[in-house]
Amino acid sequence: MAVLAESGSNPDVGLLFDINGLAKDAPGGFDRAMEFVGEYGLLLAMVLLVLWCWWSVRRRGGEDAAPSVAALVWAPLAAGLAVLVNVPIRGFVERPRPFVDHEGLDVLVGGKTDFSFVSDHATITMALGVGLFVADRRFGLAGIALALLEGFCRVYMGVHYPTDVVGGFALGTAVVLLLSPPAMALLTPLVRAVERSPRAGRLVRRRPAAGSGRDTVLPSARTPVESEERDLAA
C-alpha cells in the first residue's frame, strides 16, 4: 500500500492533494473549525442524532417501537465491533499516514502516529448512520450524510487517504448489515422484555399520561349499575 501511495500516478494521492489543497486556501479560522468538526464535532452530532431518533421512536410508540429501539442499541454496538475488527486490518496493511510519505500536505491535526488504513472515524460514523437507517430511514439518511461529511473532513485535514475513508465506510456498513440478523434476533426480545416492565418500559415506549386514556370515567358519568340502583331507589 505504501508503494502505491508513493506513486505520482496514483489517483488516490491526486485526490488527497486536491481535497487537502482546499485547506491551504481557506482562512485559518475555517481550518480550525474543520479540525474540531472532523475530530470531534461530527462524532458528537452522530450521538445526538441517535438520541433524537430514540426519543422520536419512543414518543411514536406502536408495535415497531421495540424493533426500532433494538436497532438503535445495535448501532453503537456495531460501531464498536467494527473498530475492533479494524485493529488487525491496520496491523496487516500497515499503511503510513499520508503526511509521512508526502510532503506539502496541510496537516490540521498533529500527533497521529498509528497506521492510516482504514479510518476509525469513517468506520464509526458510517456504522452509526447505517444502524440509524435500519431503525428509521429519515434519521438514517441524515446519519449517512454526516458520515460522508466526516470522510471528507478526514481527507481535508490531511490525516487519511480517500481510500482509507472508503474502506472505513465499507467496513462499518458490512459489520452493521451482515451481523444485523443475529443481533436483532437477540436484542429485540430483550427490548420487548424491557418494554413490558412498568418502569424501564418508558425507555422503549412513552406511557400515556394518567387520565388520557379512552377508558377514563368523567366525574359526571355514571356506570350502568349505579344508574340502575339510583332509578330503583327513586
Side-chain angles (χ1 to χ4, degrees), residues 42-181:
L42 287 171
L43 291 176
L44 177 60
M46 290 296 298
V47 172
L48 295 177
L49 189 63
V50 171
L51 293 175
W52 185 10
C53 183
W54 163 75
W55 185 259
S56 176
V57 168
R58 176 183 171 273
R59 290 188 61 188
R60 185 170 66 243
E63 293 298 324
D64 62 339
S68 296
V69 173
L72 291 175
V73 174
W74 168 235
L77 292 177
L81 181 59
V83 171
L84 291 178
V85 173
N86 188 30
V87 173
I89 294 177
R90 280 191 168 189
F92 176 76
V93 178
E94 294 186 349
R95 186 184 201 183
R97 294 279 181 169
F99 51 79
V100 174
D101 291 332
H102 304 285
E103 297 180 356
L105 290 173
D106 190 4
V107 183
L108 303 186
V109 180
K112 301 290 184 180
T113 58
D114 55 344
F115 293 119
S116 185
F117 187 90
V118 295
S119 167
D120 279 339
H121 282 72
T123 301
I124 293 172
T125 51
M126 186 56 74
L128 290 174
V130 175
L132 275 170
F133 189 83
V134 174
D136 186 288
R137 290 188 177 182
R138 293 175 301 171
F139 283 94
L141 290 175
I144 292 173
L146 289 178
L148 294 175
L149 180 58
E150 178 68 72
F152 174 84
C153 288
R154 302 308 290 177
V155 180
Y156 181 95
M157 294 158 60
V159 295
H160 280 293
Y161 293 97
T163 48
D164 298 338
V165 170
V166 174
F169 289 164
L171 177 59
T173 302
V175 170
V176 172
L177 296 183
L178 292 179
L179 298 182
S180 180

